[in-house]
Structures are given as C-alpha cells and as structure tokens.
Amino acid sequence: MKNLTVALIGGASGVGKTTLLDAVGLSQFSTGTFFKQRMSLGSRDDVRKGDWSQYESEVAEDIAASILQVFNQNQSAIIDTHFAAKVNGKNYRIGLKRSLLFEIAKRCFEYGDNTCRSIYIYVILVDCDPYSLMDRRRLDKRRDRELIPSDCVNTLRQNRGFSSQYLTEMIRAHNKKQWEMNHKVRYFVVENKDLSTAQNQVINLLQQTPE
Amino acid sequence: MPPFHWTSNVEDAKQEQRTIKELLSLETGLPPSLSFNTGLAIGCSYEENTGRAFAVGVFFDETGSYSTDKRELTADAEVDFPYTPGLLAFRVGPAICRLLDQVSEQVDVLLFDGQGIAHKRGLGLASHIGILYNKPSIGVTRHHLFGNFSHPPTGKLSSTPITHPQTHRTIGYALCLGDNCEPCFVSAGHRISVKDSLSFVCKIAGEGCFPRPLNRAHTIANATARKFYESRRN
C-alpha cells in the first residue's frame, strides 16, 4: 500500500511559496484561501488585516477534511500556509493554534492506522533573505502586500520561530500513542534563492516518502 | 513599483530604524580600488509650509564630475512627519525613494547629504536608504550630529575620526576638503567600510568645501523647494 504524505509548506508572505508550489506542479490548498472563504473576504491578503483568530477552529476542520479527501484519492496533501501571521495587521502569532495543529496531525495518523498506511508529515519552511523578500514584495503586482521594510525582517524571523512550534505539535501527536503504522515527522528548510533550485529541493523532499 | 511604506509616528519610526539596522553591512560592496561607473548624489529638502519633501539626484563619475549626458533628477512627495532630529529619513525618504525607484538599477553607489552610521541609533538617512535599495551608500553633512571628534588640522584632505561615545569605535570622519574649509562629516551608510567611505569622499570631492556633486544636488533641492513654495503662494 502506498504511504501518504502531508507537507505543511509555510513561510513569510512574499517568500515565494505559491510560485514555488505552482512550479512544482503539485495540487495544493492554501490556509489563506480557507480563511478568506470563512471570513467572506475578497482577497487572501485581507485575511491578516482582520481578526482571523476566531475562525481558526473552522479552518482547522477544513484543512483536516481536505487532507483526508486527498488521501482518499491516494494523493499527497500539500498545504500552503503561514507559520506566523498578523492579527488585525499588528502583532504576529502562530498561524494556527497549537492544539488545532495537534488535532490535525492526530487525525492524519489515525487515518493511516485505519487504512494501514504510514503517514509522513513534512514541515517545510520556505525561507529567503530580507532583501529578496523586499524585492519580491515590491515586484509582485498580483498581490497586495505591505512594503514596510522592518516587516520583512520581522516576518521572516517569526515564521522561522513558529515553524518549530508546528514541528513540535506534529511530533507531540506522533508520540501521543503507540501508532500501529510507522508514521514519521520531518522538518526541512528550503532557501528560495532561485526558483529552479528551490523547486528541485521541494520535489526531492516530497519524493523521499518511500512506497 | 509599489512604494515603501513610511510611518508618520515618531515612536514607530524609531522602532523601524532599530529593526532594519539588523540589515546594515559595513563590508565594502565596491571593488578594492573603489571604482564605479555611476554614482548618484542625492540632496533633499523639506518645505515646511506646504509639507512637501523634495529630492534631487545628480549623477557623477569617479572624478566627482557631474555626468553631462544625464540630467538631474527631481522627485517630490507630500509628507506628514514632524521635524525630529535623527529621523530625517522619514521626512525626505518618500521623495528620495520616488526618485530612486526610477534609476536605482543604473546606479553603483549613493551619496547622501545626511548621516550614515554616525547617528544615535546607528541608522541615518544614508544607511536607511542604502539598506532599502541594498546599494553602497555614504553620508556627508556640514553639521556634526553624533559622536566625539577633534577638529582636523588645517590642510586639504586632513581628517580626524569620529568615535562612538560608548563603544569608542570609529563611526566616521571629520574631513577638511580645503585649506580654508570647515570640516564636513563623513560616515559610512551601507555596504561600505568606515575607512573606505572616507577614501571615496576624498576621491570624488573635487574643489570646494563640500563634495561637488552633493553640493549641487543640495543647492538644486533647496531651490526647487523654495520655487514650489513661491508658486503656491502666488
């Protein structure tokens, strides 16, 4: 039976996650889109300007349901997310509450045990240097991103920090009980200096899941 | 190209400086001979009555001569930021960025009529804008703002270090550009060492008591601001 992968791919807004995933050519879903739908907003970029925290539980449910739906099609689930996000356009906090992350991971492992498949959860931080982030935010005309130079420094730092909390929750769910299948949790950093190198890195990472 | 966001809050501005200072590099991003093709001297002015900032860019070459095939550039922006020592970038930055957005790709080094790291929070105008465009940048002023120094001896290109009051590290130089000149104050902005910033200014300064291209940019900026005010008044 084929093993299944969940890749939580996160990083600062503008770091190039969506472009990277589009280039890799994998089907994916975005937590920003779930929030946008739940909050009835016109754009993903409006999510961080509002108080998205009250929609977290519903979005976590959406994410878990989407992962299991993709698993049912025998596919890997790729989630485009932010490990850190601003609430009301001000302070940063973790992209989803730790308890919700734990629940998502637990449900994935339960699915694996129920279908006799090993689940590989990858937490992948897409990172770059602040100058590249500043350039990308300036040059990307498709999106409405803030051009506060200090924010480019802060958002990278916050995403690095909170990515480890995502990892912690995945590991906590993994160690919660003696699972029947050989589930695994891994953490990777992809430096998005140039698209093709980063693209190959992501493809190689996702191919690491053994059959 | 979307513009950089500039806060109008003084405390936020100070925090912004503290944060982006992390990106500051004093490693020279020019060849060891400090050679370059195109430099841009930027003078700026703030017209108090109309709340408008003006920036003027003058292209110069390795000898400090203005480029004859490129005309001066001007840009202006409406800015609502109170006069606060150490926060000049937040008053004139929007106009400078409007100017640099047009030409930054063509320029190898930036010269500012403002401070570099010889600044209370280590991030004067030259450092701030240098970081935004990640270009080698140097600040030169007529007035001393921060740090300890002794008056340089009389004589062309004589200099004395400006040291940080707490760390005692050299953060710039007081430099006499002529026998009868009052010193000007040179400090590294970004992607240039403190020592190289002095050598660079000596190299391009020309005759006169203030680096020639910068003097021109500053004069035009002041005249433009004055003209704008008069046109509004009439």
Side-chain angles (χ1 to χ4, degrees):
Chain A
M1 213 46 132
K2 188 186 171 189
N3 296 317
L4 294 167
T5 302
V6 185
L8 287 158
I9 302 189
S13 160
V15 80
K17 296 180 299 296
T18 309
T19 311
L20 185 61
L21 289 173
D22 287 348
V24 167
L26 294 168
S27 59
Q28 49 178 288
F29 46 91
S30 151
T31 52
T33 306
F34 287 134
F35 273 110
K36 185 188 95 173
Q37 287 161 356
R38 290 281 180 184
M39 294 167 79
S40 308
L41 296 171
S43 157
R44 269 203 282 161
D45 295 318
D46 292 334
V47 173
R48 72 182 81 95
K49 295 171 189 165
D51 180 8
W52 47 267
S53 59
Q54 50 187 301
Y55 300 92
E56 272 178 287
S57 304
E58 288 104 316
V59 168
E61 188 55 45
D62 292 342
I63 293 169
S66 300
I67 294 171
L68 301 187
Q69 203 180 342
V70 171
F71 280 177
N72 282 332
Q73 294 160 11
N74 217 17
Q75 300 284 319
S76 295
I78 315 288
I79 304 156
D80 175 352
T81 193
H82 296 295
F83 295 132
K86 279 182 175 177
V87 179
N88 289 325
K90 287 179 183 159
N91 299 327
Y92 282 96
R93 50 150 291 191
I94 192 164
L96 273 181
K97 271 185 210 147
R98 295 178 67 151
S99 56
L100 297 173
L101 293 170
F102 175 85
E103 272 307 312
I104 292 171
K106 200 177 82 170
R107 283 175 67 178
C108 291
F109 294 141
E110 281 169 355
Y111 180 94
D113 274 8
N114 292 338
T115 56
C116 298
R117 287 158 159 207
S118 293
I119 304 294
Y120 287 67
I121 298 185
Y122 295 155
V123 177
I124 302 174
L125 170 70
V126 183
D127 204 13
C128 71
D129 66 87
Y131 289 115
S132 306
L133 184 62
M134 229 171 338
D135 279 350
R136 284 174 197 165
R137 283 188 175 187
R138 296 201 87 195
L139 299 174
D140 188 355
K141 295 187 177 78
R142 297 167 304 167
R143 305 286 298 269
D144 171 26
R145 295 193 175 109
E146 291 160 315
L147 278 164
I148 305 170
S150 61
D151 191 55
C152 296
V153 178
N154 289 332
T155 187
L156 289 168
R157 186 189 294 139
Q158 297 285 346
N159 272 280
R160 285 170 198 144
F162 282 121
S163 67
S164 64
Q165 294 194 18
Y166 271 65
L167 175 67
T168 304
E169 290 310 311
M170 301 299 122
I171 292 172
R172 204 162 68 82
H174 182 267
N175 297 343
K176 181 71 182 170
K177 63 177 254 193
Q178 192 69 44
W179 298 102
E180 286 168 25
M181 300 303 292
N182 185 23
H183 306 310
K184 288 191 188 310
V185 176
R186 294 279 184 271
Y187 178 80
F188 298 99
V189 178
V190 172
E191 281 287 337
N192 193 9
K193 281 180 189 156
D194 75 276
L195 187 64
S196 62
T197 312
Q199 186 186 335
N200 288 335
Q201 257 185 293
V202 172
I203 291 170
N204 289 338
L205 288 177
L206 296 178
Q207 282 172 349
Q208 282 183 13
T209 312
E211 291 288 316
Chain B
M1 197 180 279
F4 285 110
H5 169 86
W6 294 91
T7 180
S8 52
N9 178 287
V10 169
E11 289 312 310
D12 288 350
K14 288 178 184 170
Q15 188 52 47
E16 178 81 8
Q17 285 183 329
R18 288 186 201 103
T19 305
I20 68 167
K21 194 187 161 202
E22 291 174 30
L23 303 179
L24 185 77
S25 164
L26 295 181
E27 202 174 301
T28 301
L30 292 170
S33 59
L34 302 180
S35 60
F36 63 96
N37 287 324
T38 310
L40 187 71
I42 297 175
C44 45
S45 184
Y46 185 82
E47 210 295 297
E48 204 68 55
N49 300 294
T50 51
R52 213 159 184 91
F54 296 85
V56 171
V58 170
F59 292 99
F60 63 93
D61 63 18
E62 280 196 317
T63 64
S65 305
Y66 330 129
S67 176
T68 47
D69 56 338
K70 287 179 181 151
R71 61 180 184 82
E72 292 95 14
L73 297 167
T74 58
D76 62 280
E78 204 172 322
V79 181
D80 175 23
F81 195 86
Y83 171 73
T84 316
L87 294 177
L88 176 67
F90 292 85
R91 277 203 132 185
V92 295
I96 295 174
C97 289
R98 201 166 272 184
L99 187 148
L100 280 174
D101 283 348
Q102 304 166 45
V103 292
S104 66
E105 294 299 314
Q106 307 162 32
V107 174
D108 304 314
V109 59
L110 301 169
L111 193 63
F112 288 91
D113 184 4
Q115 309 290 338
I117 59 166
H119 176 274
K120 197 176 175 183
R121 284 173 292 281
L123 200 94
L125 178 71
S127 301
H128 194 137
I129 307 289
I131 286 173
L132 297 190
Y133 292 88
N134 201 15
K135 293 273 179 194
S137 61
I138 299 164
V140 189
T141 59
R142 289 178 176 82
H143 304 288
H144 168 244
L145 178 78
F146 181 77
N148 302 327
F149 77 103
S150 53
H151 205 287
T154 312
K156 190 173 167 68
L157 303 185
S158 70
S159 65
T160 51
I162 303 170
T163 56
H164 193 283
Q166 275 92 45
T167 64
H168 308 295
R169 290 177 65 175
T170 301
I171 51 174
Y173 291 91
L175 169 69
C176 274
L177 288 178
D179 289 337
N180 300 313
C181 293
E182 281 297 305
C184 61
F185 301 89
V186 178
S187 68
H190 175 58
R191 291 184 60 199
I192 193 151
S193 70
V194 178
K195 213 168 179 181
D196 284 345
S197 63
L198 176 69
S199 309
F200 186 94
V201 173
C202 291
K203 183 173 157 174
I204 58 96
E207 301 303 318
C209 294
F210 200 63
R212 192 159 59 150
L214 207 48
N215 195 41
R216 182 171 172 82
H218 180 73
T219 307
I220 301 173
N222 278 345
T224 309
R226 206 166 39 243
K227 210 167 152 185
F228 181 80
Y229 171 61
E230 279 160 10
S231 72
R232 283 292 165 99
R233 204 174 51 165
N234 295 333

